[in-house]
């Protein structure tokens, strides 16, 4: 009798087992490539956050130095993103939130000291962590109808595509003095001119071709090629219009980090400086923005990564806990609240499916503490094509929306439209939820809403009204 020998199943490595790389249909190479791509797509925050926080003075007239905020930004992003990889086990990177850092700089700081402003950021993180630990945050996310969650993905796709076009200079704001009814335009004067725009177009077209051909490393290859082209163009023609990052070969690669803002907080002093009502409005705004901005980003990026099962994100409890810690870490480090970044979608588009990609991204942010000059060579025109292409891919989720159902069609449209038009995920979610609840009540279907969605709609109504207290 012939006995057939069966080949033993190869044992998975610890890394594969821990992160579930094979189970999610990925590989170590794809995770590393995706982590690098996410870092390249979002490393601009190390340069942008210091410009925003450094542009304002606190109530005493004190300003933050570029070195201080650069260190705080890179440190918080590195620690929280690695934690997301190891504990959250998801391909989601965190850094100082755009938009909310403007609230800290231009609304909170003039009313209190920087230490007090960062103290309120820490309190925001504590609130979000408590909501995550108690399960309230996950319960809220699960209460939102699937069609509205899909609309968030579509809206964010439009949002990040617009962010890419604007950051590259392909789309610009029409000056108010022009007295035009058109708020934005193509290029600086309705036409595409200048070498930086050419670099963006070359990078975008190259990425479209490579992605359509399913070339491994398409996004990263395009960013690298566009960056090299930008350096050559800048050296040969010295054009203006690059924006925040001018693509030049750095004269030195090592910089000494400045940790002077680390732990420089005053938890409750802001309530005395700005007044209890104003401070509470600030805290409410931080919590609400941090809560729903992250919710929208986590849901949409996770859906693109195939991590949504039966309408729920795999490991959502752990992910939300790390996100809450991110806000806390942002305040402790002397930065803005850290939250999950939309640019994580760039790494997902490159194949990232597990937390290993986040470990790679966070490790690169940590290295950036000492290598800031190198991070400064990638111009927006080289990184922005990734946002446009990934935004287009996320738009494909619109096919899952039941457009024939008027009860969800209008709320879905509001979410998808308001997010990019107001540059705020929170505003879009709020507008959509209020419309959804109002439609259900008007049609006598209150039971379909549920008490939780009703409370959320009321909270958002207060959120929109609270702007009058902060103006």
């Amino acid at each position: 009798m012939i006995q057939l020998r069966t080949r033993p199943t190869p044992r998975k490595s610890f890394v594969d087992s821990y992160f579930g790389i094979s189970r999610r249909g990925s590989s170590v190479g794809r995770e590393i490539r995706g982590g690098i791509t996410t870092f390249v797509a979002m490393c601009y925050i190390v340069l942008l956050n210091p410009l925003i926080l450094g542009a304002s003075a606190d109530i005493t007239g004190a300003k933050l130095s570029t070195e201080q905020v650069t260190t705080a930004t890179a440190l918080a992003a590195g620690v929280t993103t690695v934690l997301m990889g190891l504990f959250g086990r998801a391909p989601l990177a965190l850094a100082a939130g755009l938009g909310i850092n403007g609230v800290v700089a231009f609304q909170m700081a003039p009313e209190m000291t920087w230490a007090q402003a960062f103290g309120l950021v820490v309190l925001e993180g504590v609130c979000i962590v408590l909501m995550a630990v108690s399960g309230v945050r996950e319960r809220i996310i699960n209460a939102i109808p699937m069609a509205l969650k899909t609309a968030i993905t579509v809206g964010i796709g439009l949002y990040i595509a617009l962010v890419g076009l604007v950051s590259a200079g392909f789309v610009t704001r029409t000056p108010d003095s022009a007295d035009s009814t058109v708020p934005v335009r193509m290029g600086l004067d309705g036409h595409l001119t200048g070498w930086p725009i050419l670099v963006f177009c070359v990078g975008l077209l190259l990425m479209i071709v490579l992605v359509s051909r399913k070339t491994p490393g398409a996004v990263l290859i395009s960013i690298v090629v566009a960056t090299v082209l930008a350096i050559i163009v800048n050296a040969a023609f010295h054009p203006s219009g690059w924006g925040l990052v001018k693509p030049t070969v750095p004269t030195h690669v090592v910089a000494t980090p400045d940790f002077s803002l680390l732990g420089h907080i005053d938890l409750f002093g802001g309530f005395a400086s700005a007044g209890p009502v104003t401070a509470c409005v600030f805290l409410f705004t931080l919590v609400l923005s941090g809560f729903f901005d992250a919710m929208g980003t986590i849901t949409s990026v996770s859906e693109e990564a195939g991590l949504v099962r039966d309408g729920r994100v795999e490991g959502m409890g752990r992910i939300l806990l790390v996100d809450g810690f991110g806000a806390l870490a942002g305040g402790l480090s002397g930065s803005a609240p850290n939250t999950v970044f939309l640019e994580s979608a760039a790494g997902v588009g490159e194949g990232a499916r597990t937390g290993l990609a986040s470990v790679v991204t966070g490790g690169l942010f940590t290295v950036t503490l000492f290598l800031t000059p190198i991070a400064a060579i990638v111009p927006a025109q080289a990184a922005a094509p990734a946002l446009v292409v990934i935004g287009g891919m996320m738009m494909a989720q619109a096919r899952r929306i039941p457009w024939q159902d008027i009860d969800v069609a209008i709320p879905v449209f509001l979410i998808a439209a308001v997010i990019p038009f107001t540059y705020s995920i929170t505003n879009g979610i709020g507008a959509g939820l209020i419309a959804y609840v109002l439609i259900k009540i008007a049609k006598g279907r209150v039971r379909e809403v549920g008490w939780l969605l009703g409370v959320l709609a009321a909270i958002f109504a207060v959120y929109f009204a609270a702007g009058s207290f902060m103006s």
Side-chain angles (χ1 to χ4, degrees), residues 220-235:
L220 184 57
I221 290 172
S222 302
I223 292 175
V224 172
V225 170
T227 300
V228 172
L229 177 60
I231 292 173
I232 294 173
V233 165
N234 187 67

Side-chain angles (χ1 to χ4, degrees), residues 177-190:
S177 59
D179 195 25
S180 172
T181 57
V182 181
V184 294
R185 60 189 176 185
M186 186 171 65
L188 292 175
D189 56 0

Side-chain angles (χ1 to χ4, degrees), residues 22 66 75 78 139 156 176 180 182 295 322 392 396 441 464:
S22 298
T66 299
L75 177 64
R139 200 171 299 126
I156 289 177
D176 295 336
S180 172
V182 181
M295 187 204 79
V322 177
I441 292 176
F464 288 127

Side-chain angles (χ1 to χ4, degrees), residues 88-235:
R89 303 183 191 180
L92 302 169
L94 295 87
L98 289 174
I100 200 66
N101 57 0
V103 173
V104 175
F106 304 115
Q107 296 182 13
M108 293 171 57
E111 301 291 334
M112 59 190 72
T113 67
W114 285 111
Q116 292 166 351
F118 293 139
L120 282 182
V121 172
V122 171
L123 290 178
E124 176 218 348
V126 171
C127 291
I128 293 180
V129 167
L130 290 176
M131 294 173 73
V133 171
S134 64
V136 171
R137 194 176 183 187
E138 187 171 4
R139 200 171 299 126
I140 290 174
I141 292 175
N142 292 334
I144 298 176
M146 192 60 206
L148 271 60
K149 290 180 183 177
T150 303
I152 295 171
T153 300
V154 173
I156 289 177
L158 289 169
Y159 179 27
I160 66 174
L162 181 59
V163 168
L165 293 171
V166 170
S167 63
F170 193 95
V171 171
T172 61
R173 182 184 295 110
T174 301
D176 295 336
S177 59
D179 195 25
S180 172
T181 57
V182 181
V184 294
R185 60 189 176 185
M186 186 171 65
L188 292 175
D189 56 0
H191 302 87
L192 298 179
T193 57
W195 287 102
I197 294 297
L198 177 63
V199 170
F200 167 75
C201 292
V202 170
L204 178 60
L205 293 175
L206 175 62
M207 192 174 296
I208 290 173
V209 170
L210 295 180
V211 168
S212 65
R213 292 176 59 88
K214 298 183 179 180
T215 304
V219 175
L220 184 57
I221 290 172
S222 302
I223 292 175
V224 172
V225 170
T227 300
V228 172
L229 177 60
I231 292 173
I232 294 173
V233 165
N234 187 67

Side-chain angles (χ1 to χ4, degrees), residues 161-365:
L162 181 59
V163 168
L165 293 171
V166 170
S167 63
F170 193 95
V171 171
T172 61
R173 182 184 295 110
T174 301
D176 295 336
S177 59
D179 195 25
S180 172
T181 57
V182 181
V184 294
R185 60 189 176 185
M186 186 171 65
L188 292 175
D189 56 0
H191 302 87
L192 298 179
T193 57
W195 287 102
I197 294 297
L198 177 63
V199 170
F200 167 75
C201 292
V202 170
L204 178 60
L205 293 175
L206 175 62
M207 192 174 296
I208 290 173
V209 170
L210 295 180
V211 168
S212 65
R213 292 176 59 88
K214 298 183 179 180
T215 304
V219 175
L220 184 57
I221 290 172
S222 302
I223 292 175
V224 172
V225 170
T227 300
V228 172
L229 177 60
I231 292 173
I232 294 173
V233 165
N234 187 67
F237 302 102
H238 307 288
S240 59
W242 291 112
L244 297 173
V245 179
K246 194 172 183 178
T248 57
V249 178
T251 57
H252 60 284
V253 298
V254 179
T256 303
D258 182 348
F259 295 101
S260 58
L261 291 179
L262 185 62
H264 185 61
I265 61 171
D266 180 351
L267 282 179
F268 303 104
F271 291 89
S273 295
V277 175
T278 300
C280 285
V281 171
F282 285 147
L283 183 58
F284 177 74
T285 301
L286 290 174
V287 171
L288 202 63
S289 296
F291 185 109
F292 283 99
D293 273 22
M295 187 204 79
T297 304
I298 291 169
T299 301
S300 58
V301 175
S302 297
E303 191 163 8
E304 282 298 304
L307 304 182
V308 177
R309 304 284 185 272
D310 299 324
R312 301 190 178 191
V313 177
E314 183 180 335
M316 177 62 94
R318 299 193 307 270
I319 292 172
L320 293 178
L321 185 59
V322 177
D323 178 73
F325 176 77
L328 194 152
L332 288 175
S333 65
S335 178
N338 277 29
T339 187
V340 175
F341 252 53
L342 291 171
E343 283 79 358
S344 301
V348 169
E350 198 56 59
R353 295 293 182 271
T354 76
L356 180 57
S358 295
V359 173
V360 172
T361 303
L364 290 173
F365 268 116

